[in-house]
Amino acid sequence: MGDEARGASEGAKIGGARGAPPEQQNVAPGADEHHPTIASDGDSAPPSSLVPPPSDPLVIRRLEFLGGMAQAGGWRPEPSHPEVAFAGRSNVGKSSLLNRLVRRKALARVSKTPGRTREINFFSVNDRFVLADLPGYGYARISKERKAEWWSLIDRYLRESPQLRGVVQLVDARHDPSDDDLRMFDFLADLGTPTLVVATKVDKLRRAEATARVGTLADALGVDAEQMIPFSAVTGQGRDELAAAIVALIDTPPWRHS
Ligand code: GDP
């Protein structure tokens, strides 16, 4: 059975469902199997780099993997909380960004589990909002059929999620947008979805170069340079700015009803 054909009932299980021994699963001790809480990276005190600064706009108190949506129109968690989706082509740095954002390595590890890479993976953050990690697109060797399945999964999710507040769209600061990036931007613009644009891996560029690249990218994507958040998962640059923008987004009403 292909991973994409799996039913939603498996979605909420990361404890035991894939046969990995418990110590390899990112579930906090005592978390129940269907709604496991994602553990922080260490058993005891987290390393100082993971201790949030006092001004952190998004202190992560609770993180819970809710499950994955494998097919268009398939299972998804009850849309009871505001949702923010994260999109970008494969390898853009989405997993690294998510790890930085929530200060847990385990979140993106769940999304990178074989079989989950083509799903939309949902995480509850602080019981306040839901983060939807969309599968990476633009993988070179992907077949036409699979690509069509991918677009239909994303298309329906974005159209049919009543609590969606916006999309965080990632582009690699070093490269021009791909055709798939442009298609995604067009699609989001058509829907009218509020979009935060993050330029990833800026640590790979010198400061002046990064500023120039962000400007070029903004032009290519048709957004203001001020709308873009330069980000580095290595240095943490942009993490708090992104966190604050997400908090502002989830506090607004769904744009479809406003
Ligand atoms: P994903 O496929 O979009 O989830 O991308 P990953 O987060 O797995 O990152 C892809 C590759 O880029 C990995 O080798 C990461 O270590 C690297 N990477 C991701 N973010 C950054 C960043 O901010 N700076 C640098 N230098 N490398 C990064």
Side-chain angles (χ1 to χ4, degrees):
M1 180 174 66
D3 291 313
E4 66 279 13
R6 284 182 307 98
S9 58
E10 277 187 68
K13 296 182 207 154
I14 55 174
R18 307 248 166 228
E23 66 273 15
Q24 288 179 12
Q25 296 162 5
N26 309 308
V27 181
D32 94 44
E33 191 197 345
H34 297 283
H35 295 280
T37 301
I38 294 174
S40 62
D41 296 307
D43 289 330
S44 51
S48 57
S49 64
L50 296 177
V51 175
S55 60
D56 188 344
L58 178 62
V59 177
I60 306 296
R61 298 198 174 80
R62 189 174 153 78
L63 191 62
E64 188 184 359
F65 177 52
L66 300 173
M69 183 191 220
Q71 297 151 308
W75 176 92
R76 54 147 298 139
E78 269 312 300
S80 49
H81 286 89
E83 253 164 66
V84 178
F86 289 72
R89 65 169 177 75
S90 303
N91 224 32
V92 69
K94 182 154 59 64
S95 308
S96 308
L97 173 141
L98 288 171
N99 285 337
R100 259 290 175 180
L101 180 67
V102 301
R103 304 183 195 281
R104 306 276 199 286
K105 289 212 172 100
L107 184 149
R109 219 181 280 146
V110 171
S111 290
K112 290 249 171 180
T113 308
R116 294 211 177 276
T117 54
R118 287 189 226 115
E119 295 181 352
I120 300 175
N121 290 303
F122 296 93
F123 300 85
S124 166
V125 182
N126 294 347
D127 295 318
R128 185 165 172 221
F129 73 98
V130 168
L131 184 161
D133 182 13
L134 306 185
Y137 54 76
Y139 189 56
R141 291 192 304 265
I142 198 167
S143 69
K144 269 196 176 147
E145 292 73 27
R146 176 124 315 140
K147 199 165 179 174
E149 276 170 21
W150 187 95
W151 278 105
S152 118
L153 174 67
I154 302 304
D155 180 301
R156 278 194 64 181
Y157 165 74
L158 292 174
R159 283 184 202 282
E160 297 177 6
S161 297
Q163 293 283 15
L164 186 66
R165 298 300 201 273
V167 172
V168 179
Q169 175 68 43
L170 278 59
V171 284
D172 191 316
R174 297 166 304 163
H175 306 305
D176 290 336
S178 67
D179 289 347
D180 287 319
D181 285 330
L182 294 172
R183 182 174 171 187
M184 189 72 185
F185 270 87
D186 281 350
F187 182 56
L188 294 172
D190 282 351
L191 284 178
T193 320
T195 303
L196 301 172
V197 189
V198 176
T200 62
K201 308 189 189 180
V202 285
D203 60 278
K204 292 199 176 195
L205 299 169
R206 282 190 291 271
R207 188 182 287 263
E209 228 181 336
T211 309
R213 280 296 310 158
V214 167
T216 308
L217 266 170
D219 283 349
L221 298 169
V223 298
D224 279 351
E226 293 79 56
Q227 264 180 273
M228 300 196 49
I229 302 175
F231 189 93
S232 166
V234 171
T235 65
Q237 180 186 343
R239 186 272 171 193
D240 285 354
E241 197 187 336
L242 175 61
I246 290 170
V247 168
L249 207 53
I250 60 178
D251 283 342
T252 59
W255 84 97
R256 283 185 264 242
H257 309 299
S258 56

